[in-house]
Amino acid sequence: MIKLNTKPLTREAFAPFGDVIEKADAQSFPINNGHCIRFHDLANIETIGDTARSMISIFSSKPYSLPLHLEMVERHPLGSQAFVPLSKDPFLVIACKDNNGIPDIPQAFIATNWQGINFKKNTWHGVLTPLVDVSDFLVVDRGGEGNNLEQYFFDEPYMIGSNLI
Amino acid sequence: MIKLNTKPLTREAFAPFGDVIEKADAQSFPINNGHCIRFHDLANIETIGDTARSMISIFSSKPYSLPLHLEMVERHPLGSQAFVPLSKDPFLVIACKDNNGIPDIPQAFIATNWQGINFKKNTWHGVLTPLVDVSDFLVVDRGGEGNNLEQYFFDEPYMIGSNLI
């Protein structure tokens, strides 16, 4: 079984897969007579198709333990998918580059301190993976007609987070 | 000065103005092999215009004290605007029905326990109003060309939250 380490989630490291949703280093400007700061336009929302629209949902997930045995990744060909935690607990973010329709070796990031992420459309990624407790996430993704889910099962699972145990 | 009381935020009471974003009584179904519950499609996102798109931003606002002197409300003719708190602190939600282009008497709600809200397009509302501390909110609203802001200043301010002091 191939063991993979995690790394901190940064905009630069995550750029091939999408956006990191956080205030740090974001474009911002004051609104409401200076009472409020708007950290502006933090994710590129993609919705493909004539019937497509953006949706807001809440995902409430049980936690996972590390090291994680990663057996499957998935992707959404027709839209981006954003996850923003409604708690300060860290969560695991897994993404893969694509290699002729097959996911490449996974990369694993630890999101901390309220960081959210937005996967680009058609980006291989692991399912939502909180690490500490049952956790709620605000999700912005695509609604509409068409098959927006593809899954890939690895021949052999990866062991993720070997550096954190 | 007209004094107005607040009321709890419920889907039924808020329906004329938009959606309450919360898990309670939402459509839901299991995903990720039962590890996660998806509380599905909690807000009607509206983006009007050929160049329109949905945006995700973070608003970080200083708190306000009650009673609040409400001098102004605003509306966004071209899109909905959703606010979800990134803390469990309550916040104040003000909305008005429209009366021939003029906002009617404001209604004031106290959002608690992670409740978020989504204002329908062209709905008169107060600015983001946390009550406890400097607070971050995830915001989903519209980007694109066109004037998407209208403000209305009342002849005399309302005093909101007289029942909470």
Short mmCIF file of all heavy atoms in Angstrom, two decimals, chain B residues 104-133:
data_model
loop_
_atom_site.label_atom_id
_atom_site.label_comp_id
_atom_site.label_asym_id
_atom_site.label_seq_id
_atom_site.Cartn_x
_atom_site.Cartn_y
_atom_site.Cartn_z
N ASP B 104 -41.75 49.15 3.18
CA ASP B 104 -42.78 49.19 4.21
C ASP B 104 -42.10 49.16 5.59
O ASP B 104 -40.87 49.15 5.70
CB ASP B 104 -43.70 47.98 4.02
CG ASP B 104 -45.14 48.29 4.43
OD1 ASP B 104 -45.33 49.15 5.30
OD2 ASP B 104 -46.04 47.64 3.88
N ILE B 105 -42.89 49.13 6.65
CA ILE B 105 -42.32 49.09 8.01
C ILE B 105 -41.40 47.88 8.15
O ILE B 105 -41.78 46.76 7.78
CB ILE B 105 -43.44 49.02 9.06
CG1 ILE B 105 -44.26 50.32 9.02
CG2 ILE B 105 -42.88 48.82 10.45
CD1 ILE B 105 -45.45 50.30 9.96
N PRO B 106 -40.20 48.05 8.65
CA PRO B 106 -39.25 46.93 8.75
C PRO B 106 -39.77 45.83 9.68
O PRO B 106 -40.52 46.07 10.63
CB PRO B 106 -37.99 47.58 9.33
CG PRO B 106 -38.11 49.03 9.00
CD PRO B 106 -39.58 49.33 9.05
N GLN B 107 -39.34 44.61 9.36
CA GLN B 107 -39.51 43.48 10.26
C GLN B 107 -38.11 43.03 10.69
O GLN B 107 -37.18 43.01 9.87
CB GLN B 107 -40.26 42.34 9.58
CG GLN B 107 -41.69 42.74 9.21
CD GLN B 107 -42.48 41.56 8.66
OE1 GLN B 107 -42.41 40.45 9.18
NE2 GLN B 107 -43.24 41.81 7.62
N ALA B 108 -37.98 42.67 11.93
CA ALA B 108 -36.65 42.36 12.48
C ALA B 108 -36.67 40.97 13.09
O ALA B 108 -37.55 40.64 13.90
CB ALA B 108 -36.25 43.40 13.53
N PHE B 109 -35.68 40.17 12.70
CA PHE B 109 -35.57 38.78 13.15
C PHE B 109 -34.22 38.58 13.82
O PHE B 109 -33.23 39.19 13.43
CB PHE B 109 -35.67 37.82 11.97
CG PHE B 109 -36.89 37.99 11.11
CD1 PHE B 109 -36.88 38.88 10.03
CD2 PHE B 109 -38.05 37.28 11.38
CE1 PHE B 109 -38.01 39.05 9.24
CE2 PHE B 109 -39.18 37.44 10.60
CZ PHE B 109 -39.16 38.33 9.52
N ILE B 110 -34.20 37.69 14.81
CA ILE B 110 -32.92 37.30 15.42
C ILE B 110 -32.58 35.89 14.92
O ILE B 110 -33.29 34.92 15.21
CB ILE B 110 -33.00 37.30 16.96
CG1 ILE B 110 -33.37 38.68 17.49
CG2 ILE B 110 -31.66 36.83 17.54
CD1 ILE B 110 -32.29 39.73 17.33
N ALA B 111 -31.49 35.79 14.15
CA ALA B 111 -30.99 34.50 13.68
C ALA B 111 -30.10 33.91 14.77
O ALA B 111 -29.25 34.60 15.32
CB ALA B 111 -30.20 34.66 12.39
N THR B 112 -30.33 32.63 15.09
CA THR B 112 -29.56 31.98 16.15
C THR B 112 -29.07 30.62 15.66
O THR B 112 -29.56 30.08 14.66
CB THR B 112 -30.42 31.76 17.41
OG1 THR B 112 -31.56 30.99 17.06
CG2 THR B 112 -30.86 33.08 18.01
N ASN B 113 -28.12 30.09 16.40
CA ASN B 113 -27.74 28.68 16.23
C ASN B 113 -27.38 28.35 14.78
O ASN B 113 -27.86 27.38 14.23
CB ASN B 113 -28.92 27.79 16.72
CG ASN B 113 -28.49 26.38 16.97
OD1 ASN B 113 -27.32 26.11 17.28
ND2 ASN B 113 -29.43 25.45 16.84
N TRP B 114 -26.53 29.20 14.18
CA TRP B 114 -25.98 28.97 12.83
C TRP B 114 -27.01 29.18 11.72
O TRP B 114 -26.73 28.84 10.56
CB TRP B 114 -25.40 27.55 12.69
CG TRP B 114 -24.27 27.26 13.60
CD1 TRP B 114 -24.33 26.64 14.81
CD2 TRP B 114 -22.89 27.57 13.39
NE1 TRP B 114 -23.08 26.55 15.37
CE2 TRP B 114 -22.19 27.10 14.51
CE3 TRP B 114 -22.18 28.20 12.36
CZ2 TRP B 114 -20.80 27.23 14.65
CZ3 TRP B 114 -20.81 28.32 12.48
CH2 TRP B 114 -20.14 27.85 13.62
N GLN B 115 -28.16 29.70 12.01
CA GLN B 115 -29.10 29.99 10.91
C GLN B 115 -28.49 30.99 9.94
O GLN B 115 -27.91 32.00 10.34
CB GLN B 115 -30.40 30.60 11.45
CG GLN B 115 -31.31 29.61 12.17
CD GLN B 115 -32.54 30.32 12.69
OE1 GLN B 115 -32.45 31.39 13.28
NE2 GLN B 115 -33.71 29.72 12.48
N GLY B 116 -28.64 30.72 8.65
CA GLY B 116 -28.29 31.69 7.62
C GLY B 116 -29.54 32.14 6.91
O GLY B 116 -30.63 31.60 7.12
N ILE B 117 -29.40 33.15 6.08
CA ILE B 117 -30.55 33.64 5.33
C ILE B 117 -30.14 33.96 3.89
O ILE B 117 -28.97 34.22 3.60
CB ILE B 117 -31.18 34.89 5.97
CG1 ILE B 117 -30.12 35.95 6.29
CG2 ILE B 117 -31.94 34.53 7.24
CD1 ILE B 117 -30.09 37.07 5.34
N ASN B 118 -31.12 33.91 3.00
CA ASN B 118 -30.93 34.31 1.62
C ASN B 118 -32.03 35.28 1.22
O ASN B 118 -33.20 34.89 1.17
CB ASN B 118 -30.97 33.08 0.70
CG ASN B 118 -30.70 33.41 -0.75
OD1 ASN B 118 -29.71 34.06 -1.07
ND2 ASN B 118 -31.57 32.96 -1.65
N PHE B 119 -31.65 36.53 0.99
CA PHE B 119 -32.64 37.51 0.55
C PHE B 119 -32.96 37.29 -0.93
O PHE B 119 -32.04 37.22 -1.77
CB PHE B 119 -32.10 38.94 0.72
CG PHE B 119 -31.93 39.38 2.14
CD1 PHE B 119 -30.66 39.66 2.64
CD2 PHE B 119 -33.02 39.54 2.97
CE1 PHE B 119 -30.49 40.08 3.95
CE2 PHE B 119 -32.86 39.96 4.28
CZ PHE B 119 -31.59 40.23 4.77
N LYS B 120 -34.24 37.24 -1.27
CA LYS B 120 -34.63 37.25 -2.67
C LYS B 120 -34.11 38.51 -3.35
O LYS B 120 -33.94 39.55 -2.70
CB LYS B 120 -36.16 37.26 -2.80
CG LYS B 120 -36.89 36.08 -2.25
CD LYS B 120 -38.41 36.30 -2.46
CE LYS B 120 -39.22 35.23 -1.77
NZ LYS B 120 -40.67 35.43 -1.97
N LYS B 121 -33.95 38.43 -4.65
CA LYS B 121 -33.58 39.65 -5.38
C LYS B 121 -34.63 40.73 -5.14
O LYS B 121 -35.81 40.44 -4.98
CB LYS B 121 -33.41 39.37 -6.87
CG LYS B 121 -34.67 39.08 -7.63
CD LYS B 121 -34.37 38.96 -9.12
CE LYS B 121 -35.54 38.36 -9.89
NZ LYS B 121 -36.79 39.11 -9.78
N ASN B 122 -34.16 41.96 -5.10
CA ASN B 122 -35.02 43.14 -5.00
C ASN B 122 -35.81 43.20 -3.68
O ASN B 122 -36.88 43.82 -3.63
CB ASN B 122 -35.98 43.21 -6.19
CG ASN B 122 -36.19 44.64 -6.66
OD1 ASN B 122 -35.31 45.49 -6.49
ND2 ASN B 122 -37.34 44.92 -7.23
N THR B 123 -35.29 42.58 -2.64
CA THR B 123 -35.92 42.62 -1.32
C THR B 123 -35.20 43.64 -0.42
O THR B 123 -33.99 43.56 -0.23
CB THR B 123 -35.84 41.22 -0.66
OG1 THR B 123 -36.60 40.30 -1.46
CG2 THR B 123 -36.39 41.24 0.75
N TRP B 124 -35.96 44.58 0.08
CA TRP B 124 -35.38 45.57 0.99
C TRP B 124 -34.84 44.89 2.24
O TRP B 124 -35.54 44.06 2.84
CB TRP B 124 -36.45 46.59 1.42
CG TRP B 124 -36.96 47.47 0.33
CD1 TRP B 124 -38.22 47.46 -0.20
CD2 TRP B 124 -36.25 48.52 -0.36
NE1 TRP B 124 -38.34 48.42 -1.17
CE2 TRP B 124 -37.14 49.08 -1.30
CE3 TRP B 124 -34.95 49.01 -0.29
CZ2 TRP B 124 -36.79 50.13 -2.14
CZ3 TRP B 124 -34.59 50.06 -1.13
CH2 TRP B 124 -35.50 50.60 -2.04
N HIS B 125 -33.64 45.25 2.65
CA HIS B 125 -33.04 44.63 3.84
C HIS B 125 -32.02 45.56 4.47
O HIS B 125 -31.47 46.44 3.80
CB HIS B 125 -32.41 43.28 3.51
CG HIS B 125 -31.27 43.36 2.54
ND1 HIS B 125 -31.44 43.32 1.18
CD2 HIS B 125 -29.94 43.49 2.74
CE1 HIS B 125 -30.27 43.40 0.58
NE2 HIS B 125 -29.34 43.52 1.50
N GLY B 126 -31.79 45.34 5.73
CA GLY B 126 -30.74 46.06 6.43
C GLY B 126 -29.38 45.46 6.12
O GLY B 126 -29.28 44.34 5.63
N VAL B 127 -28.34 46.22 6.42
CA VAL B 127 -26.99 45.69 6.20
C VAL B 127 -26.70 44.60 7.22
O VAL B 127 -27.41 44.45 8.23
CB VAL B 127 -25.92 46.80 6.28
CG1 VAL B 127 -26.18 47.87 5.23
CG2 VAL B 127 -25.84 47.39 7.68
N LEU B 128 -25.64 43.85 6.96
CA LEU B 128 -25.25 42.75 7.84
C LEU B 128 -25.02 43.27 9.26
O LEU B 128 -24.28 44.23 9.46
CB LEU B 128 -23.96 42.13 7.30
CG LEU B 128 -23.40 40.94 8.06
CD1 LEU B 128 -24.38 39.78 8.08
CD2 LEU B 128 -22.07 40.50 7.44
N THR B 129 -25.67 42.62 10.24
CA THR B 129 -25.72 43.17 11.59
C THR B 129 -25.42 42.11 12.65
O THR B 129 -26.33 41.62 13.33
CB THR B 129 -27.11 43.79 11.86
OG1 THR B 129 -27.49 44.61 10.76
CG2 THR B 129 -27.07 44.66 13.12
N PRO B 130 -24.15 41.74 12.82
CA PRO B 130 -23.83 40.88 13.97
C PRO B 130 -24.05 41.65 15.26
O PRO B 130 -24.04 42.90 15.27
CB PRO B 130 -22.35 40.54 13.75
CG PRO B 130 -21.82 41.63 12.88
CD PRO B 130 -22.97 42.12 12.03
N LEU B 131 -24.26 40.91 16.33
CA LEU B 131 -24.64 41.56 17.59
C LEU B 131 -23.63 41.35 18.72
O LEU B 131 -23.70 42.04 19.74
CB LEU B 131 -26.01 41.03 18.06
CG LEU B 131 -27.18 41.34 17.12
CD1 LEU B 131 -28.44 40.64 17.60
CD2 LEU B 131 -27.40 42.85 17.03
N VAL B 132 -22.72 40.40 18.57
CA VAL B 132 -21.90 40.02 19.72
C VAL B 132 -20.44 40.43 19.57
O VAL B 132 -19.85 41.00 20.48
CB VAL B 132 -21.99 38.49 19.96
CG1 VAL B 132 -21.10 38.06 21.11
CG2 VAL B 132 -23.44 38.10 20.23
N ASP B 133 -19.87 40.16 18.40
CA ASP B 133 -18.44 40.35 18.24
C ASP B 133 -18.16 40.59 16.76
O ASP B 133 -19.05 40.47 15.92
CB ASP B 133 -17.70 39.08 18.72
CG ASP B 133 -16.29 39.37 19.18
OD1 ASP B 133 -15.75 40.44 18.86
OD2 ASP B 133 -15.72 38.50 19.87
#
